[in-house]
Amino acid sequence: MLAMFLSYQGLAQLGGQRSFEFLNVPGNARLAGLGGVNVSLSDKDINFIFSNPALVSDSLAGYASAGYQFFVADIGQASFAYSHKFKSIGIISFGVQHMNYGEITGYDASGLELGSFKSGETAIVISKSHQVSNFRIGANF
């Protein structure tokens, strides 16, 4: 009789709390070696637009980069970045990051298999940086 009055709250795995969480995964090996975030290393690497757009200077005009990282369980991340110097507005950088989660089997609420589907996320980045005295500022859209 006592069991009827006791309740138990069951919890499953946590998920879906933030959008674009895949952008926190470093987009290339060099950025991963820096701990995933680069705030100060400014040299000829166009891939830094994904972590800090202020690091893209005029010296990177015309640079491009493409890469693919393999993860476990058929997960992969592709990235592409390109920087171009326009006469009127200066350096604009373009980038694409795509995370492919592979093929996933879908089920309904009762556990009936519904088939498989492919899952992934993509971010398209447009970046602008500007030199102000001894400082560089940058923004991603």
Side-chain angles (χ1 to χ4, degrees):
M1 184 73 170
L2 181 63
M4 290 182 1
F5 296 107
L6 295 177
S7 67
Y8 176 75
Q9 181 180 7
L11 299 174
Q13 66 272 15
L14 296 176
Q17 295 183 359
R18 290 181 209 88
S19 296
F20 295 101
E21 199 54 40
F22 77 102
L23 294 175
N24 290 328
V25 178
N28 60 41
R30 188 168 186 212
L31 190 57
L34 290 168
V37 178
N38 179 28
V39 294
S40 61
L41 178 62
S42 178
D43 60 3
K44 294 191 178 204
D45 192 347
I46 189 64
N47 292 305
F48 289 155
I49 69 164
F50 298 116
S51 65
N52 188 349
L55 296 175
V56 179
S57 65
D58 293 344
S59 65
L60 290 175
Y63 276 61
S65 174
Y68 191 86
Q69 295 184 71
F70 295 93
F71 295 98
V72 296
D74 202 25
I75 297 173
Q77 181 184 29
S79 65
F80 172 77
Y82 174 72
S83 182
H84 187 79
K85 184 173 185 175
F86 295 94
K87 290 181 183 178
S88 59
I89 55 176
I91 292 285
I92 300 284
S93 302
F94 306 93
V96 176
Q97 278 187 297
H98 176 75
M99 182 71 83
N100 178 19
Y101 297 112
E103 196 165 308
I104 300 171
T105 305
Y107 298 92
D108 68 3
S110 65
L112 180 67
E113 185 175 325
L114 300 174
S116 61
F117 62 94
K118 294 186 179 188
S119 177
E121 297 178 284
T122 303
I124 299 171
V125 177
I126 300 172
S127 177
K128 173 71 175 129
S129 64
H130 185 69
Q131 183 83 30
V132 178
S133 184
N134 292 332
F135 300 98
R136 285 200 82 68
I137 57 173
N140 280 348
F141 173 72

